[in-house]
Each structure stands twice: as structure tokens, then as C-alpha cells.
Amino acid sequence: MPNIGGIVKTLQNIMRKDQGVSGDAQRIEQLGWMITLKIIDDKEAEMELISDDYVSVIPSELQWRNAGILILKIHL
């Protein structure tokens, strides 16, 4: 498993290039949301494996596995 500190540092460096993000406090807040959304998506993926009739309350286009990757590709 990669070092979480290294991942956060890489994301911060990417976010520093974004004109819409000003300051470390805003970057930390956005990183917190990104991590939260990723955790929710992982839990939903687990529920889909456990229960055949599980349906996500999050629309497909807003799920991390669909939207999060697109966002990261834009910034890379």
C-alpha cells in the first residue's frame, strides 16, 4: 500500500496549480472531502458484493468510481 503522506503531498502539488484553490486550508478541506467520497464509494462497492439487491443512493454519474477518476485526469 502506498504511503498516505506521499499521496497527500502529490495531491497538494496538483491542487497548488489550480487557480480556484487558494491556500493550504482550502486544499486540506477539499482533500478531506475527496477522501470521504472515496471511503463512501469503497463501502458501497463492498455492499454491492455482499447484497445482490443493494442500490446506491448516489446517482451513478456522481459516484467516485465514475466522477472522481475524471476529475483527477483533468488535473494530471
Side-chain angles (χ1 to χ4, degrees):
M1 179 172 181
N3 177 332
I4 188 71
I7 293 169
V8 170
K9 183 76 169 167
T10 299
L11 289 172
Q12 283 180 321
N13 290 336
I14 291 168
M15 293 174 79
R16 282 190 179 105
K17 298 175 189 174
D18 189 344
Q19 298 297 325
V21 179
S22 58
D24 284 337
Q26 191 176 11
R27 279 190 283 278
I28 290 169
E29 180 182 1
Q30 289 185 3
L31 283 171
W33 273 110
M34 289 170 55
I35 292 168
T36 300
L37 293 172
K38 176 65 172 123
I39 290 169
I40 290 170
D41 190 66
D42 286 350
K43 290 295 181 184
E44 285 203 328
E46 183 179 331
M47 289 300 298
E48 289 170 357
L49 290 173
I50 294 171
S51 175
D52 290 334
D53 59 344
Y54 178 78
V55 177
S56 175
V57 296
I58 301 172
S60 177
E61 65 273 7
L62 299 177
Q63 292 175 344
W64 175 266
R65 64 192 93 166
N66 299 324
I69 299 303
L70 177 61
I71 293 167
L72 288 176
K73 285 182 181 179
I74 290 170
H75 287 288
L76 294 176

